[in-house]
Amino acid sequence: MIVATSFLLVLGPLSLTLALRIPPNPCPDVFSYNRVSFGKEVFGRVQIPYDGASKLNLHLNASFAGSFERPNNVQIKLTTPPNPATSGSTKKLLYNVYFPYQDVIPRITLIRYNGKVFCAGPQEPLVSGTAGVTNTWTSHQYFFFNDRGAAQNEAEPPIESEIDAANLDQDKLVPVGADSELDLKSNGKEGECGIASTAIVPLVLGGEELSDGVFPWLVAMFVVKGNGYEYKCTANLISDRHVVTAARCVQYYKVRIVKTEDILLVFGKADVGRWATNGAITREASDVRTHPEYDQGGAHGDVCVITLNNAVEFSRNIAPVCLWTGEETLDKVVGDDGSVAGWGVSSDAKRSVSPNANFVSVPIVATDQCLFSNLTYATITSDMTFCAGRRDGKGPCIGDSGAGFVLNRHGKFYLRGLASLTLSDEGGHCDLRNFAVFCDVARCKDWILSAMRKYS
């Protein structure tokens, strides 16, 4: 079906005839509010200069005035997909944006295409006495195959197979607070992060048990329940004052469900079944920050930085993992095996967390492979997530939220992702015949570092 662009009218004075409030537009050069002639439905249009890529990823944030439980039904449609044979002649990409409600038109707060921000603006203001503000996000992914049989971004430089250890930025590898320095003298590796024990068993659900110190950055997060504590999530030590876990461990949509003072973090022990009597190191939380773009309905922005009330002293069993450094693009790590460790269920039939941490090795898979494997992934993934797994029944499950996905680079482990979501079968069990979805730490690293510096 051919749609003539003359049928599209930019809203301005027309907004009065529609009796709708059209929010301020932060970037009229790339975005406009429109409606079909003689129609009532308002939609948005995005115009982005085409960069010649064969993988197109458009991400859009929006802010609604009011409280909505499920605002993430904003839909994006690419109306001018490039033709592989004539993509060089394409000058602009045109996207239509369809809103879930017509009585409340959202304000656009971010438009990002292939990692570049084209538009940014403030969210809807919070007005006293109103129902509040709801923020949401959505993304659209499109690719085509070139004459070499693969979808590639010709604008990107050649992909290197390994990170060059000689050129690693140590300030980025070892994230610390403004007034602290890492000290790993007891490990014999002063100033280093990501050093794991060599006694790693070759193999979370279907994994193998860990012993103390194998992954010394592993942290068990407990929360107050009654007169005691209950295991909640897996977390990861990234400095002597900070751990990182999944936002869903402390927040439901925009509502905080765990109080800062109710959090207890246990360090240095793979077996946390008797942490209170086995000499484990514990700390309370002094501050909790979740990513501003987090939405319960997907893995986008599913990251949380927790600041400890007191710094921990590093030892053989307690040491930080390195934050990811180098390129953010997934192309460079697709197919690489990463380790995921946590205290999630060891047998999904039992549906109870394991007292001993388990870990499993799973590969990162290409985004298009993940999306084509199950339609559900289109609603829970974004440009800030990745999929991983072998679809063999092994992987993160209930209780593994926040578990780190770490990649070994030249003998050091780097945190690339955080376990967020798995699909479920008809019985409500983890369906690891499908891929697991992780929040991509590489895409959130700037926010993580900012939170660490501000709340050290």
Side-chain angles (χ1 to χ4, degrees):
M1 180 178 69
I2 298 176
V3 180
T5 55
S6 58
F7 282 77
L8 302 176
L9 300 177
V10 178
L11 285 177
L14 291 178
S15 61
L16 300 176
T17 64
L18 290 172
L20 286 175
R21 173 185 174 270
I22 302 302
N25 185 353
C27 41
D29 291 342
V30 296
F31 179 82
S32 61
Y33 292 99
N34 300 265
R35 72 176 177 90
V36 177
S37 296
F38 310 111
K40 295 183 178 180
E41 182 178 358
V42 177
F43 64 96
R45 166 154 283 197
V46 177
Q47 299 186 56
I48 297 291
Y50 181 46
D51 58 0
S54 54
K55 285 187 177 180
L56 319 179
N57 195 325
L58 183 75
H59 177 87
L60 183 145
N61 290 10
S63 182
F64 290 84
S67 179
F68 301 91
E69 287 190 1
R70 297 186 179 278
N72 55 343
N73 290 327
V74 177
Q75 302 293 323
I76 299 177
K77 181 180 180 181
L78 176 61
T79 63
T80 58
N83 186 320
T86 61
S87 59
S89 63
T90 303
K91 301 302 181 183
K92 285 189 176 181
L93 300 174
L94 301 180
Y95 294 85
N96 284 347
V97 183
Y98 301 102
F99 309 127
Y101 314 106
Q102 283 296 298
D103 53 340
V104 178
I105 303 302
R107 180 192 295 229
I108 302 303
T109 58
L110 179 72
I111 296 175
R112 182 171 60 235
Y113 166 75
N114 279 0
K116 179 180 179 180
V117 175
F118 281 82
C119 172
Q123 69 172 26
E124 286 282 15
L126 183 60
V127 180
S128 177
T130 65
V133 174
T134 302
N135 295 314
T136 187
W137 60 268
T138 188
S139 61
H140 181 281
Q141 296 162 330
Y142 178 88
F143 72 94
F144 59 85
F145 290 95
N146 60 21
D147 56 3
R148 286 175 289 178
Q152 297 180 350
N153 187 340
E154 301 296 344
E156 293 183 356
I159 296 173
E160 299 294 335
S161 60
E162 291 280 355
I163 296 175
D164 185 357
N167 294 323
L168 294 179
D169 185 342
Q170 293 301 316
D171 291 334
K172 294 181 180 179
L173 294 184
V174 189
V176 296
D179 302 316
S180 62
E181 294 291 340
L182 291 180
D183 181 7
L184 291 177
K185 293 179 181 179
S186 57
N187 271 8
K189 300 272 188 182
E190 184 175 355
E192 290 196 59
C193 57
I195 305 298
S197 166
T198 56
I200 295 180
V201 241
L203 256 183
V204 196
L205 186 65
E208 295 293 336
E209 289 188 352
L210 290 174
S211 56
D212 294 349
V214 172
F215 290 151
W217 50 83
L218 204 56
V219 182
M221 175 182 165
F222 287 79
V223 296
V224 171
K225 184 175 183 180
N227 295 323
Y229 288 92
E230 180 181 62
Y231 171 80
K232 181 70 173 179
C233 284
T234 300
N236 310 270
L237 184 65
I238 54 175
S239 86
D240 61 347
R241 288 291 306 275
H242 305 91
V243 301
V244 63
T245 186
R248 65 182 63 253
C249 295
V250 299
Q251 186 167 307
Y252 182 77
Y253 287 97
K254 301 301 178 183
V255 179
R256 179 68 62 80
I257 57 175
V258 174
K259 296 179 180 179
T260 301
E261 59 268 27
D262 287 347
I263 295 174
L264 183 75
L265 300 157
V266 179
F267 301 83
K269 291 294 179 180
D271 183 354
V272 295
R274 297 179 301 277
W275 62 267
T277 59
N278 66 3
I281 302 299
T282 62
R283 291 290 186 272
E284 297 177 355
S286 64
D287 191 83
V288 177
R289 299 285 158 171
T290 56
H291 196 285
E293 294 182 24
Y294 169 64
D295 187 282
Q296 185 77 20
H300 182 87
D302 193 3
V303 56
C304 167
V305 173
I306 300 176
T307 303
L308 311 182
N309 64 332
N310 291 302
V312 292
E313 182 177 348
F314 299 142
S315 67
R316 180 185 180 279
N317 294 337
I318 302 176
V321 65
C322 303
L323 282 182
W324 188 258
T325 188
E327 292 291 336
E328 297 180 0
T329 55
L330 279 178
D331 290 344
K332 296 191 176 184
V333 292
V334 167
D336 289 359
D337 280 356
S339 297
V340 184
W343 286 273
V345 297
S346 56
S347 172
D348 198 23
K350 298 178 182 178
R351 296 185 67 81
S352 60
V353 296
S354 170
N356 204 95
N358 291 263
F359 90 101
V360 67
S361 178
V362 292
I364 296 177
V365 300
T367 300
D368 53 324
Q369 181 183 357
C370 181
L371 292 174
F372 287 160
S373 68
N374 192 302
L375 294 177
T376 305
Y377 290 116
T379 64
I380 63 176
T381 61
S382 76
D383 60 339
M384 290 173 63
T385 69
F386 65 84
C387 300
R390 289 191 171 85
R391 295 190 288 183
D392 59 355
K394 297 178 181 179
C397 190
I398 299 168
D400 284 319
S401 292
F405 183 101
V406 295
L407 289 169
N408 190 330
R409 291 290 185 267
H410 305 288
K412 296 172 68 172
F413 284 88
Y414 294 83
L415 182 65
R416 180 63 200 235
L418 296 170
S420 179
L421 295 169
T422 60
L423 303 188
S424 60
D425 58 21
E426 293 181 355
H429 303 93
C430 298
D431 185 1
L432 293 173
R433 295 168 299 178
N434 286 291
F435 300 116
V437 182
F438 295 79
C439 176
D440 193 341
V441 169
R443 296 300 181 99
C444 305
K445 186 177 69 174
D446 289 344
W447 176 84
I448 293 173
L449 291 173
S450 175
M452 292 171 65
R453 295 187 186 102
K454 189 174 182 180
Y455 304 101
S456 297

